[in-house]
Amino acid sequence: MGKKLVMAQKRGETRALCLGVAMVACAVITYYILGTTVLPLYQKSMWTQESMCHLIETNIRDQEELEGKRVPQYPCLWVNVSSVGRWAVLYHTEDTRDRNQQCSYIPGSLDNYQMARADVEEVRAKFHQRQVFHCFSTTRENETSVLYQRLYGPQTLLFSLFWPTFLLTGGLLIIVMVKINQSLSILAAQK
């Protein structure tokens, strides 16, 4: 009976050690992936200065209003604000600015024109309700655009690093507990 108990303990310890090592390995791989994807985007983000924006005007642009220019087949919202003592164009995120510089806000679903138009009108109404709001600007002097929301801010970086850190800590704790258990069983066997 005693030999079966010892063998079962060794198998359980081996499985626990494998689990701990696998958790640590997954955490290291996740850190590498985050270090090559999210961290460079965070470091390249120039939108670091938080300021207050005052709404100047909003305009919903449709295709027929922008003749002569290549415009997507969806309505988009154009928002002008005053930030840090200068006129600027407000963009929802960094990606909005990269996708279409003629739109401050691009609706989420572009399949249905009526739903996209309703979404844009709802966002426009929210801007008119709150005339003053927080925005992010850059320290460049000649930049005439600001962001409403940063995609690659400190909260995103911390949230991205939370689960790998939790996985690494849990894996290391499992390994340490198994090693302590093994050393205590050796000490108990010697007495």
Side-chain angles (χ1 to χ4, degrees):
M1 179 75 178
K3 190 170 185 170
K4 286 185 181 180
L5 182 63
V6 169
M7 291 300 290
Q9 273 185 320
K10 285 191 177 198
R11 269 186 280 164
E13 288 173 353
T14 304
R15 289 178 182 161
L17 274 176
C18 287
L19 174 66
V21 170
M23 287 173 69
V24 169
C26 286
V28 169
I29 291 169
T30 307
Y31 278 131
Y32 175 75
I33 291 170
L34 290 175
T36 57
T37 56
V38 175
L39 190 60
L41 293 173
Y42 172 75
Q43 290 175 335
K44 289 179 188 175
S45 179
M46 61 184 178
W47 311 97
T48 56
Q49 184 178 356
E50 188 170 346
S51 58
M52 295 301 289
C53 284
H54 302 274
L55 184 67
I56 295 175
E57 69 172 325
T58 60
N59 186 13
I60 297 177
R61 294 184 170 185
D62 289 311
Q63 182 182 8
E64 53 271 7
E65 292 179 23
L66 299 171
E67 291 180 24
K69 297 181 181 177
R70 265 183 70 197
V71 178
Q73 299 286 332
Y74 54 83
C76 67
L77 182 65
W78 179 259
V79 180
N80 291 328
V81 295
S82 171
S83 172
V84 195
R86 63 179 184 228
W87 173 87
V89 177
L90 179 75
Y91 292 102
H92 186 235
T93 62
E94 294 99 327
D95 288 346
T96 307
R97 184 173 186 252
D98 294 338
R99 282 175 62 189
N100 185 356
Q101 291 193 355
Q102 297 176 358
C103 292
S104 296
Y105 174 77
I106 299 172
S109 64
L110 302 175
D111 298 334
N112 186 345
Y113 181 84
Q114 296 302 325
M115 287 177 57
R117 176 77 183 202
D119 186 23
V120 168
E121 287 176 0
E122 181 181 330
V123 171
R124 181 182 187 188
K126 287 181 182 178
F127 275 121
H128 282 285
Q129 286 175 355
R130 293 181 46 210
Q131 296 282 322
V132 179
F133 48 88
H134 290 279
C135 60
F136 296 95
S137 60
T138 182
T139 54
R140 293 183 190 169
E141 287 296 321
N142 57 351
E143 185 66 47
T144 60
S145 56
V146 293
L147 295 181
Y148 181 69
Q149 178 182 359
R150 288 179 67 189
L151 282 179
Y152 312 112
Q155 293 107 352
T156 305
L157 187 65
L158 289 175
F159 183 73
S160 298
L161 294 176
F162 172 75
W163 287 111
T165 304
F166 185 71
L167 197 63
L168 179 69
T169 306
L172 290 175
L173 280 174
I174 288 173
I175 293 171
V176 167
M177 288 187 330
V178 168
K179 289 299 180 182
I180 289 173
N181 187 28
Q182 287 175 345
S183 64
L184 289 176
S185 65
I186 291 172
L187 285 175
Q190 288 175 352
K191 289 185 178 181

